[in-house]
Short mmCIF file of all heavy atoms in Angstrom, two decimals:
data_model
loop_
_atom_site.label_atom_id
_atom_site.label_comp_id
_atom_site.label_asym_id
_atom_site.label_seq_id
_atom_site.Cartn_x
_atom_site.Cartn_y
_atom_site.Cartn_z
N VAL Z 563 -73.62 71.07 15.35
CA VAL Z 563 -72.34 70.81 16.01
C VAL Z 563 -72.11 69.27 16.21
O VAL Z 563 -72.97 68.67 16.86
CB VAL Z 563 -72.18 71.56 17.36
CG1 VAL Z 563 -70.80 71.31 17.91
CG2 VAL Z 563 -72.35 73.09 17.07
N GLY Z 564 -71.14 68.71 15.53
CA GLY Z 564 -70.90 67.36 15.62
C GLY Z 564 -70.36 66.88 16.96
O GLY Z 564 -69.88 67.65 17.78
N ASP Z 565 -70.54 65.54 17.16
CA ASP Z 565 -70.00 64.91 18.42
C ASP Z 565 -68.57 65.19 18.68
O ASP Z 565 -67.70 65.13 17.65
CB ASP Z 565 -70.23 63.41 18.29
CG ASP Z 565 -71.74 63.07 18.42
OD1 ASP Z 565 -72.61 63.94 18.91
OD2 ASP Z 565 -72.06 61.89 18.09
N GLY Z 566 -68.24 65.52 19.79
CA GLY Z 566 -66.80 65.73 20.22
C GLY Z 566 -66.20 67.05 19.75
O GLY Z 566 -64.98 67.27 19.90
N ALA Z 567 -66.99 67.91 19.10
CA ALA Z 567 -66.54 69.16 18.66
C ALA Z 567 -66.07 70.08 19.83
O ALA Z 567 -66.72 69.98 20.87
CB ALA Z 567 -67.42 69.91 17.74
N ILE Z 568 -65.12 70.82 19.70
CA ILE Z 568 -64.65 71.75 20.82
C ILE Z 568 -64.75 73.29 20.24
O ILE Z 568 -64.16 73.51 19.23
CB ILE Z 568 -63.22 71.43 21.16
CG1 ILE Z 568 -63.15 70.00 21.71
CG2 ILE Z 568 -62.70 72.46 22.17
CD1 ILE Z 568 -61.63 69.56 21.91
N ILE Z 569 -65.45 74.02 20.96
CA ILE Z 569 -65.61 75.43 20.63
C ILE Z 569 -65.00 76.17 21.83
O ILE Z 569 -65.56 76.21 22.99
CB ILE Z 569 -67.09 75.79 20.49
CG1 ILE Z 569 -67.90 74.94 19.59
CG2 ILE Z 569 -67.22 77.28 20.02
CD1 ILE Z 569 -67.51 74.91 18.13
N ILE Z 570 -63.91 76.81 21.59
CA ILE Z 570 -63.10 77.47 22.63
C ILE Z 570 -63.63 78.89 22.97
O ILE Z 570 -64.36 79.46 22.17
CB ILE Z 570 -61.55 77.46 22.29
CG1 ILE Z 570 -61.15 76.01 22.10
CG2 ILE Z 570 -60.79 78.11 23.40
CD1 ILE Z 570 -59.77 75.75 21.55
N ASN Z 571 -63.28 79.39 24.14
CA ASN Z 571 -63.82 80.64 24.69
C ASN Z 571 -63.88 81.82 23.65
O ASN Z 571 -62.95 82.02 22.85
CB ASN Z 571 -62.87 81.06 25.82
CG ASN Z 571 -62.83 80.20 26.97
OD1 ASN Z 571 -63.72 79.27 27.08
ND2 ASN Z 571 -61.90 80.38 27.92
N TYR Z 572 -65.07 82.42 23.76
CA TYR Z 572 -65.31 83.65 22.87
C TYR Z 572 -65.42 83.39 21.42
O TYR Z 572 -65.48 84.42 20.70
CB TYR Z 572 -64.41 84.77 23.38
CG TYR Z 572 -64.42 85.05 24.76
CD1 TYR Z 572 -63.31 84.81 25.55
CD2 TYR Z 572 -65.52 85.66 25.37
CE1 TYR Z 572 -63.33 85.04 26.95
CE2 TYR Z 572 -65.50 85.99 26.75
CZ TYR Z 572 -64.41 85.61 27.58
OH TYR Z 572 -64.42 85.93 28.90
N ALA Z 573 -65.47 82.18 20.97
CA ALA Z 573 -65.73 81.96 19.55
C ALA Z 573 -67.20 82.38 19.26
O ALA Z 573 -68.06 82.11 20.06
CB ALA Z 573 -65.45 80.49 19.21
N GLY Z 574 -67.36 82.82 18.02
CA GLY Z 574 -68.71 83.21 17.55
C GLY Z 574 -69.08 82.45 16.37
O GLY Z 574 -68.46 82.57 15.21
N ILE Z 575 -70.02 81.55 16.49
CA ILE Z 575 -70.56 80.68 15.34
C ILE Z 575 -71.84 81.31 14.92
O ILE Z 575 -72.80 81.30 15.65
CB ILE Z 575 -70.69 79.23 15.77
CG1 ILE Z 575 -69.45 78.79 16.54
CG2 ILE Z 575 -71.00 78.39 14.46
CD1 ILE Z 575 -68.22 78.63 15.74
N THR Z 576 -71.86 81.97 13.74
CA THR Z 576 -73.10 82.61 13.33
C THR Z 576 -74.05 81.63 12.63
O THR Z 576 -73.85 80.36 12.66
CB THR Z 576 -72.79 83.73 12.31
OG1 THR Z 576 -72.12 83.15 11.20
CG2 THR Z 576 -71.85 84.80 12.96
N GLY Z 577 -75.28 82.07 12.25
CA GLY Z 577 -76.36 81.26 11.86
C GLY Z 577 -76.08 80.28 10.72
O GLY Z 577 -75.24 80.61 9.83
N HIS Z 578 -76.72 79.13 10.76
CA HIS Z 578 -76.68 78.14 9.71
C HIS Z 578 -75.31 77.49 9.47
O HIS Z 578 -75.08 76.98 8.34
CB HIS Z 578 -77.21 78.74 8.40
CG HIS Z 578 -78.53 79.28 8.53
ND1 HIS Z 578 -79.75 78.47 8.52
CD2 HIS Z 578 -78.96 80.65 8.71
CE1 HIS Z 578 -80.78 79.31 8.70
NE2 HIS Z 578 -80.33 80.57 8.79
N CYS Z 579 -74.39 77.52 10.42
CA CYS Z 579 -73.09 76.97 10.27
C CYS Z 579 -73.16 75.37 10.60
O CYS Z 579 -74.02 75.04 11.36
CB CYS Z 579 -72.04 77.64 11.20
SG CYS Z 579 -71.69 79.29 10.63
N GLU Z 580 -72.20 74.66 10.07
CA GLU Z 580 -72.05 73.25 10.45
C GLU Z 580 -70.59 73.06 10.99
O GLU Z 580 -69.64 73.41 10.27
CB GLU Z 580 -72.23 72.40 9.19
CG GLU Z 580 -73.60 72.48 8.63
CD GLU Z 580 -73.76 71.75 7.36
OE1 GLU Z 580 -72.93 70.69 7.10
OE2 GLU Z 580 -74.57 72.03 6.59
N ILE Z 581 -70.54 72.55 12.20
CA ILE Z 581 -69.16 72.21 12.74
C ILE Z 581 -69.15 70.72 12.89
O ILE Z 581 -70.05 70.03 13.42
CB ILE Z 581 -69.02 72.85 14.11
CG1 ILE Z 581 -69.33 74.30 14.18
CG2 ILE Z 581 -67.62 72.53 14.69
CD1 ILE Z 581 -68.47 75.09 13.29
N GLY Z 582 -68.14 70.08 12.17
CA GLY Z 582 -68.13 68.60 12.04
C GLY Z 582 -67.61 67.97 13.31
O GLY Z 582 -67.19 68.61 14.24
N GLU Z 583 -67.75 66.61 13.34
CA GLU Z 583 -67.39 65.83 14.61
C GLU Z 583 -65.82 66.05 14.80
O GLU Z 583 -65.06 66.11 13.91
CB GLU Z 583 -67.73 64.41 14.34
CG GLU Z 583 -66.83 63.67 13.36
CD GLU Z 583 -67.22 62.29 13.07
OE1 GLU Z 583 -68.18 62.13 12.40
OE2 GLU Z 583 -66.43 61.39 13.56
N ARG Z 584 -65.55 66.20 16.12
CA ARG Z 584 -64.25 66.32 16.66
C ARG Z 584 -63.42 67.51 15.99
O ARG Z 584 -62.23 67.52 16.03
CB ARG Z 584 -63.44 65.06 16.51
CG ARG Z 584 -64.07 64.01 17.34
CD ARG Z 584 -63.26 62.75 17.49
NE ARG Z 584 -62.07 62.97 18.30
CZ ARG Z 584 -61.26 62.02 18.76
NH1 ARG Z 584 -61.64 60.68 18.43
NH2 ARG Z 584 -60.23 62.28 19.43
N ALA Z 585 -64.12 68.51 15.41
CA ALA Z 585 -63.48 69.68 14.92
C ALA Z 585 -63.27 70.63 16.08
O ALA Z 585 -63.92 70.57 17.12
CB ALA Z 585 -64.41 70.40 13.89
N THR Z 586 -62.24 71.51 16.00
CA THR Z 586 -61.94 72.42 17.06
C THR Z 586 -62.01 73.91 16.45
O THR Z 586 -61.37 74.08 15.48
CB THR Z 586 -60.56 72.21 17.70
OG1 THR Z 586 -60.53 70.91 18.19
CG2 THR Z 586 -60.16 73.23 18.76
N VAL Z 587 -62.63 74.73 17.13
CA VAL Z 587 -62.74 76.11 16.74
C VAL Z 587 -62.10 76.95 17.83
O VAL Z 587 -62.58 76.91 19.00
CB VAL Z 587 -64.24 76.66 16.41
CG1 VAL Z 587 -64.22 78.05 16.10
CG2 VAL Z 587 -64.87 75.81 15.36
N GLY Z 588 -60.95 77.59 17.50
CA GLY Z 588 -60.17 78.35 18.49
C GLY Z 588 -60.94 79.50 19.12
O GLY Z 588 -61.82 80.07 18.52
N GLY Z 589 -60.40 80.00 20.22
CA GLY Z 589 -60.89 81.08 20.96
C GLY Z 589 -60.85 82.41 20.12
O GLY Z 589 -59.90 82.61 19.29
N LEU Z 590 -61.85 83.23 20.30
CA LEU Z 590 -61.98 84.55 19.70
C LEU Z 590 -62.08 84.40 18.14
O LEU Z 590 -61.74 85.37 17.47
CB LEU Z 590 -60.78 85.43 20.06
CG LEU Z 590 -60.68 85.83 21.47
CD1 LEU Z 590 -59.35 86.44 21.87
CD2 LEU Z 590 -61.82 86.77 21.96
N THR Z 591 -62.48 83.25 17.67
CA THR Z 591 -62.70 83.07 16.24
C THR Z 591 -64.07 83.41 15.80
O THR Z 591 -65.06 83.07 16.56
CB THR Z 591 -62.37 81.60 15.90
OG1 THR Z 591 -60.95 81.41 16.09
CG2 THR Z 591 -62.73 81.24 14.46
N GLY Z 592 -64.22 83.98 14.63
CA GLY Z 592 -65.54 84.24 14.11
C GLY Z 592 -65.82 83.43 12.86
O GLY Z 592 -64.91 83.28 12.00
N VAL Z 593 -66.96 82.81 12.82
CA VAL Z 593 -67.30 81.88 11.61
C VAL Z 593 -68.50 82.56 10.99
O VAL Z 593 -69.56 82.68 11.62
CB VAL Z 593 -67.64 80.50 12.10
CG1 VAL Z 593 -67.94 79.55 10.89
CG2 VAL Z 593 -66.37 79.92 12.85
N LEU Z 594 -68.49 82.91 9.81
CA LEU Z 594 -69.44 83.60 9.00
C LEU Z 594 -70.66 82.69 8.75
O LEU Z 594 -70.53 81.43 8.69
CB LEU Z 594 -68.95 84.25 7.65
CG LEU Z 594 -68.31 85.58 7.79
CD1 LEU Z 594 -67.12 85.62 8.72
CD2 LEU Z 594 -67.99 86.12 6.47
N PRO Z 595 -71.90 83.28 8.41
CA PRO Z 595 -73.04 82.44 8.29
C PRO Z 595 -72.89 81.45 7.07
O PRO Z 595 -72.19 81.80 6.12
CB PRO Z 595 -74.14 83.49 7.89
CG PRO Z 595 -73.68 84.72 8.54
CD PRO Z 595 -72.15 84.74 8.43
N PHE Z 596 -73.54 80.28 7.26
CA PHE Z 596 -73.67 79.26 6.21
C PHE Z 596 -72.22 78.58 5.97
O PHE Z 596 -72.05 77.94 4.93
CB PHE Z 596 -74.24 79.79 4.91
CG PHE Z 596 -75.65 80.21 5.06
CD1 PHE Z 596 -75.97 81.56 5.26
CD2 PHE Z 596 -76.71 79.34 5.03
CE1 PHE Z 596 -77.24 82.01 5.42
CE2 PHE Z 596 -78.01 79.73 5.18
CZ PHE Z 596 -78.23 81.09 5.38
N THR Z 597 -71.29 78.74 6.83
CA THR Z 597 -69.97 78.21 6.63
C THR Z 597 -69.89 76.84 7.32
O THR Z 597 -70.50 76.61 8.39
CB THR Z 597 -68.83 79.12 7.22
OG1 THR Z 597 -69.03 80.44 6.60
CG2 THR Z 597 -67.57 78.59 6.99
N ARG Z 598 -69.15 75.89 6.67
CA ARG Z 598 -68.95 74.56 7.32
C ARG Z 598 -67.48 74.45 7.74
O ARG Z 598 -66.51 74.82 7.08
CB ARG Z 598 -69.29 73.49 6.21
CG ARG Z 598 -70.66 73.53 5.71
CD ARG Z 598 -70.95 72.47 4.61
NE ARG Z 598 -69.98 72.56 3.52
CZ ARG Z 598 -69.56 71.60 2.73
NH1 ARG Z 598 -70.07 70.33 2.97
NH2 ARG Z 598 -68.75 71.76 1.75
N VAL Z 599 -67.28 73.78 8.80
CA VAL Z 599 -66.04 73.33 9.37
C VAL Z 599 -66.06 71.84 9.40
O VAL Z 599 -66.81 71.30 10.09
CB VAL Z 599 -65.70 73.99 10.77
CG1 VAL Z 599 -64.36 73.44 11.20
CG2 VAL Z 599 -65.69 75.52 10.72
N GLY Z 600 -65.19 71.22 8.51
CA GLY Z 600 -65.23 69.73 8.46
C GLY Z 600 -64.78 69.00 9.68
O GLY Z 600 -64.19 69.56 10.60
N ALA Z 601 -65.11 67.71 9.65
CA ALA Z 601 -64.66 66.81 10.73
C ALA Z 601 -63.21 66.85 10.94
O ALA Z 601 -62.44 66.92 9.97
CB ALA Z 601 -65.15 65.39 10.43
N TYR Z 602 -62.75 66.84 12.18
CA TYR Z 602 -61.38 66.71 12.58
C TYR Z 602 -60.56 67.95 12.13
O TYR Z 602 -59.29 67.95 12.26
CB TYR Z 602 -60.71 65.46 12.07
CG TYR Z 602 -61.31 64.18 12.66
CD1 TYR Z 602 -62.44 63.65 11.98
CD2 TYR Z 602 -60.89 63.68 13.85
CE1 TYR Z 602 -63.03 62.50 12.49
CE2 TYR Z 602 -61.44 62.49 14.35
CZ TYR Z 602 -62.51 61.92 13.75
OH TYR Z 602 -63.16 60.86 14.20
N ALA Z 603 -61.20 68.99 11.64
CA ALA Z 603 -60.48 70.23 11.32
C ALA Z 603 -60.10 70.95 12.56
O ALA Z 603 -60.70 70.78 13.59
CB ALA Z 603 -61.38 71.13 10.45
N TYR Z 604 -59.04 71.77 12.45
CA TYR Z 604 -58.62 72.63 13.57
C TYR Z 604 -58.58 74.05 13.14
O TYR Z 604 -57.77 74.36 12.13
CB TYR Z 604 -57.23 72.19 14.16
CG TYR Z 604 -56.85 72.93 15.34
CD1 TYR Z 604 -57.07 72.41 16.59
CD2 TYR Z 604 -56.22 74.16 15.29
CE1 TYR Z 604 -56.69 73.06 17.67
CE2 TYR Z 604 -55.82 74.94 16.39
CZ TYR Z 604 -56.11 74.29 17.64
OH TYR Z 604 -55.74 75.01 18.81
#
């Protein structure tokens, strides 16, 4: 999980994921294994 990333309530980040710097993952969101969320993404 990159610096400044925001993971909102009840989000589920599964194994081997990459969350970029200052990315935001909204509440109740599911991220499948080995998935990447790039920097500054929302």
Side-chain angles (χ1 to χ4, degrees):
V563 179
D565 289 342
I568 299 170
I569 313 294
I570 300 174
N571 297 347
Y572 303 111
I575 313 297
T576 58
H578 304 279
C579 290
E580 297 175 25
I581 310 297
E583 70 184 77
R584 295 189 70 170
T586 299
V587 177
L590 297 168
T591 291
V593 181
L594 272 63
F596 297 96
T597 303
R598 300 179 304 154
V599 176
Y602 298 89
Y604 186 95

